[in-house]
Amino acid sequence: EDKVVQSPLSLVVHEGDTVTLNCSYEVTNFRSLLWYKQEKKAPTFLFMLTSSGIEKKSGRLSSILDKKELFSILNITATQTGDSAVYLCAVEIWGAQKLVFGQGTRLTINP
Amino acid sequence: DAGVTQSPTHLIKTRGQQVTLRCSPKSGHDTVSWYQQALGQGPQFIFQYYEEEERQRGNFPDRFSGHQFPNYSSELNVNALLLGDSALYLCASSFGDWTGANVLTFGAGSRLTVL
């Protein structure tokens, strides 16, 4: 059965800290890995990763994929209170046109 | 450009009742997928509709059914509600010719509480 596991499930840090969120996966037919930010309800797209070792970057956020070890990390530097959210990792399966999500990491940034 | 819209935003039902949730896809999208997100969990794929037919289905019982209309909007129906059906139901739209998950656009969801 396809599985995506995120860690930690919950993380509380102070503003300005750097955080690393982890995502490991075991799926039958990997196509891509995606990261989403969910603040209130609708998950919003952050990154899509398809190739190993190529870092994707957007401002203070960055992510990288390791297809050999089957994991990805999402880094957030110089965190701000507005980064508080649930971060979801999802894997896209070839031919299935659906996403398999992890449980999410709830990140809380304290001022 | 309107994104994905869902209604109602919140609703409360009792066990055994039936519920219908509605979704209008983003302009230009013709495929609708439904996901269930229980509290503290990631979304789980329910099913996907394209050309008014169910194209893919996740591991959900037959109590969960859907429909897609000619204007691409969609409904999710859940019969014989159980307490465990309490969740946020997310609708996501995309193009029929799947070019990659990065085109998937989510709505804000319908929060269902079953008492």
Side-chain angles (χ1 to χ4, degrees), chain A residues 53-71:
Chain A
I54 298 174
E55 185 182 54
K56 292 273 183 103
K57 201 168 169 64
S58 176
R60 296 176 293 102
L61 278 66
S62 64
S63 183
I64 197 160
L65 173 67
D66 185 328
K67 290 170 75 173
K68 183 180 177 185
E69 300 297 329
L70 308 183
F71 77 90

Side-chain angles (χ1 to χ4, degrees), chain B residues 17-19 28 37 41 44 58-59 63 75 79 85-86 109:
Chain B
Q17 285 190 310
Q18 179 262 343
V19 68
Q37 187 176 19
Q41 301 295 317
Q44 278 195 287
N59 191 23
R63 297 187 298 108
E75 288 182 348
N79 294 323
D85 295 331
S86 294

